[in-house]
Amino acid sequence: MTQAVAHRVDPYEVDWLLQGISTLSRSSLRLEQFSTTVDLRFSLAVLTQKWQQRVHDRVPVQYLVGETPWRDLMLTVTPAVLIPRPETELVVDIVLQRIEASAMGAELKTGTWVDMGTGSGAIAIALACALPKAKILAVDISTEALAVAQHNATRNGVQNQIQFFQGAWFEPLTANGTLAGVVTNPPYIPSETVKTLDPEVQHEPDGALDGGADGLSDIRMLARQARAYLRSGGLWLTELMLGQADDVKALLTELAYQQVEHHTDFAGIERFVSGYHP
């Protein structure tokens, strides 16, 4: 614990790492209710190596453990995928809110939804759980990421509800104007800002972070191209970073999306923008 504090690593990560590599539970660690013998998934030497990777190499604990909790799911994560953030959990709640606000809500609940740039599959899997009668398409350019996403779909029992496509954004899909929704957590960090991010973030795939000069390159393209794929009344929703909401709202308005709104995250930051296809 002292070493964690000295290296500016949150002490809770010690518990998290121990839970991930042993049979110890969160409550048993907190209450110190465990025997002197603990079953480990790794040898003590490997555990020591992993901890050194955390404090010295700044490898995220999620990669060291190999999984992370997200919403009510447990997801496998590797350096091939972005680590799902707590704020991204709100994407599914916003989808459900906007479905309820739509006159076409019943059709949207049973329609086809796309998670663009699925990564670990977090959003696609959560959508499948929240919309059990919907069909979910998960797209990613990375074959390694898709392998993780497919594993996570099976791990969480929704593999039969999700189809996976390898390719750049809409490239592997057919433009037929029938999609109920396009949801994405694309790269949105400006290229120069990526270089200044915390050391932990530098271990995540650059392609999932770098959104071009102003961070909006992929968002602009996705908003424009989605119009050929969405049905009338279909929902378009993206995550973004602080300071981008006004530009994205203006873009959607220019592209004739209707009822364009921003949505805040847990910290009150304008983290998402959505609109309906006319």
Side-chain angles (χ1 to χ4, degrees):
M1 195 69 72
T2 302
Q3 191 179 37
V5 173
H7 287 83
R8 297 182 181 179
V9 173
D10 196 317
Y12 88 89
E13 291 194 15
V14 179
D15 285 358
W16 192 354
L17 181 61
L18 287 172
Q19 289 175 66
I21 57 85
S22 74
T23 56
L24 293 172
S25 67
R26 181 180 180 184
S27 59
S28 64
L29 281 166
R30 179 177 295 177
L31 299 173
E32 298 185 3
Q33 294 178 339
F34 49 86
S35 66
T36 55
T37 302
V38 177
D39 292 328
L40 298 176
R41 289 167 48 194
F42 309 107
S43 68
L44 186 58
V46 172
L47 173 58
T48 301
Q49 179 188 39
K50 285 181 177 291
W51 182 244
Q52 294 308 311
Q53 286 180 289
R54 179 68 193 98
V55 297
H56 293 298
D57 300 332
R58 311 299 290 188
V59 177
V61 68
Q62 294 92 332
Y63 289 155
L64 296 175
V65 172
E67 62 184 19
T68 187
W70 190 81
R71 286 183 70 90
D72 55 351
L73 308 171
M74 184 60 75
L75 300 171
T76 297
V77 290
T78 76
V81 301
L82 192 73
I83 298 167
R85 293 339 195 238
E87 57 267 25
T88 306
E89 295 182 6
L90 293 172
V91 163
V92 180
D93 299 309
I94 295 167
V95 165
L96 295 177
Q97 291 166 10
R98 299 237 68 183
I99 286 176
E100 290 303 316
S102 170
M104 300 179 179
E107 295 96 321
L108 297 184
K109 283 181 180 178
T110 58
T112 300
W113 291 75
V114 178
D115 173 20
M116 276 293 170
T118 193
S120 66
I123 291 175
I125 294 165
L127 283 175
C129 294
L131 302 171
K133 294 184 179 180
K135 178 181 179 181
I136 312 298
L137 312 181
V139 180
D140 205 288
I141 195 169
S142 166
T143 54
E144 293 84 2
L146 281 177
V148 174
Q150 288 175 303
H151 169 79
N152 280 326
T154 300
R155 180 176 185 177
N156 288 280
V158 292
Q159 68 274 15
N160 295 330
Q161 198 181 341
I162 304 175
Q163 282 186 275
F164 296 89
F165 296 85
Q166 192 276 325
W169 302 121
F170 286 102
E171 178 186 73
L173 304 184
T174 301
N176 56 12
T178 63
L179 295 181
V182 174
V183 180
T184 184
N185 179 18
Y188 53 69
I189 301 173
S191 300
E192 289 301 312
T193 303
V194 171
K195 301 174 185 177
T196 69
L197 297 175
D198 291 339
E200 286 81 358
V201 182
Q202 304 298 333
H203 290 276
E204 299 186 80
D206 186 69
L209 300 168
D210 192 336
D214 65 353
L216 296 176
S217 296
D218 292 302
I219 288 177
R220 289 192 189 94
M221 182 274 295
L222 289 166
R224 291 190 177 99
Q225 292 190 2
R227 295 175 298 171
Y229 296 81
L230 285 166
R231 59 164 292 170
S232 177
L235 182 69
W236 189 87
L237 169 65
T238 188
E239 182 172 324
L240 34 75
M241 68 180 291
L242 176 67
Q244 294 177 334
D246 287 344
D247 287 340
V248 176
K249 286 168 65 179
L251 170 67
L252 293 192
T253 300
E254 177 187 333
L255 294 174
Y257 284 86
Q258 305 295 308
Q259 299 179 50
V260 175
E261 294 183 6
H262 71 260
H263 312 271
T264 57
D265 64 14
F266 299 114
I269 295 171
E270 295 179 345
R271 179 69 63 182
F272 314 93
V273 169
S274 67
Y276 299 106
H277 184 54

